[in-house]
Amino acid sequence: KESGRELTPKEASDHWFSKGLDFIKNDPGEYTILLLKKFFLFWNSEEIAGNINYYFCRNYVPILKLPFFSYGLIAPFALLAFVFMIRKRPKGLSLIILLVFSYIASLMLYFVTSRHRFPSIPFIIILASYSAFSYKDLIRSLKIKDIIFFTFTLLAFFILVNIIGFHTKLEKKYFTS
């Protein structure tokens, strides 16, 4: 409609790409806020349906009801791995964290839905496992200050990841016309 004529697929792609670049150039603050919201959406436990609705499937696939398969339980521990990385500097974790963050960065340029997030899940599970075992070792060592710090950090991540309805508000503001 904006061009006044029917566009070829390449022309339409170029048109929307140009509009996206104009948005970034003309309103970098709003673009930064949008990227931060997409980052939060990536970590949010609520599954944003694309072609398959997780909540619908959960009614018919009983194993999906188990908490061990919940992104809301795994993601806070994966986020805690980033804190362990900063505080403890473990060997061998950097590459996985780099992989996850590079995947998130590429995903934030387009769409954040559960099916687009899916390829990163094995690496997020590795990070969550690392955190769980590191947290267990921390408790065994009885370092009270570290235990308190990591417990409150984990709790904060758990609350942030499991805020329900966050994506619905974002969809209404940014993803619908």
Side-chain angles (χ1 to χ4, degrees):
K1 285 182 178 180
E2 289 179 15
S3 70
R5 64 182 178 85
E6 190 161 329
L7 302 175
T8 67
K10 182 187 180 329
E11 290 172 330
S13 178
D14 291 344
H15 170 78
W16 290 112
F17 184 76
S18 176
K19 284 189 75 95
L21 289 178
D22 288 344
F23 171 69
I24 294 168
K25 186 176 88 176
N26 296 332
D27 204 346
E30 190 69 22
Y31 178 67
T32 302
I33 290 169
L34 180 60
L35 287 178
L36 289 171
K37 289 178 180 178
K38 286 182 174 187
F39 181 80
F40 185 81
L41 282 174
F42 179 89
W43 290 105
N44 193 276
S45 68
E46 194 167 344
E47 299 289 340
I48 301 171
N51 56 351
I52 297 173
N53 188 320
Y54 170 77
Y55 302 104
F56 175 79
C57 292
R58 192 169 58 179
N59 292 330
Y60 300 100
V61 182
I63 197 167
L64 294 177
K65 293 179 182 179
L66 296 174
F68 303 109
F69 293 97
S70 168
Y71 189 76
L73 184 62
I74 295 167
F77 279 96
L79 287 167
L80 191 63
F82 299 117
V83 179
F84 273 113
M85 175 72 180
I86 293 167
R87 294 278 306 258
K88 303 293 183 186
R89 307 260 189 238
K91 293 182 181 180
L93 195 58
S94 307
L95 187 59
I96 294 173
I97 288 176
L98 180 64
L99 180 100
V100 170
F101 268 113
S102 61
Y103 185 80
I104 294 170
S106 68
L107 189 61
M108 286 172 29
L109 296 175
Y110 300 99
F111 301 107
V112 179
T113 65
S114 54
R115 85 180 163 115
H116 292 108
R117 176 172 70 183
F118 189 73
S120 66
I121 298 300
F123 304 104
I124 289 172
I125 291 171
I126 291 169
L127 291 174
S129 300
Y130 171 82
S131 289
F133 283 104
S134 296
Y135 192 70
K136 177 192 64 123
D137 291 343
L138 192 65
I139 291 172
R140 281 187 178 166
S141 71
L142 295 175
K143 295 179 180 175
I144 301 301
K145 285 183 182 179
D146 283 346
I147 292 170
I148 291 171
F149 172 77
F150 283 105
T151 300
F152 279 110
T153 303
L154 181 61
L155 182 62
F157 286 147
F158 187 79
I159 291 168
L160 284 172
V161 164
N162 289 288
I163 292 174
I164 303 298
F166 178 78
H167 92 272
T168 307
K169 293 174 190 170
L170 287 179
E171 278 182 6
K172 287 179 184 172
K173 184 171 182 183
Y174 289 102
F175 302 113
T176 57
S177 53

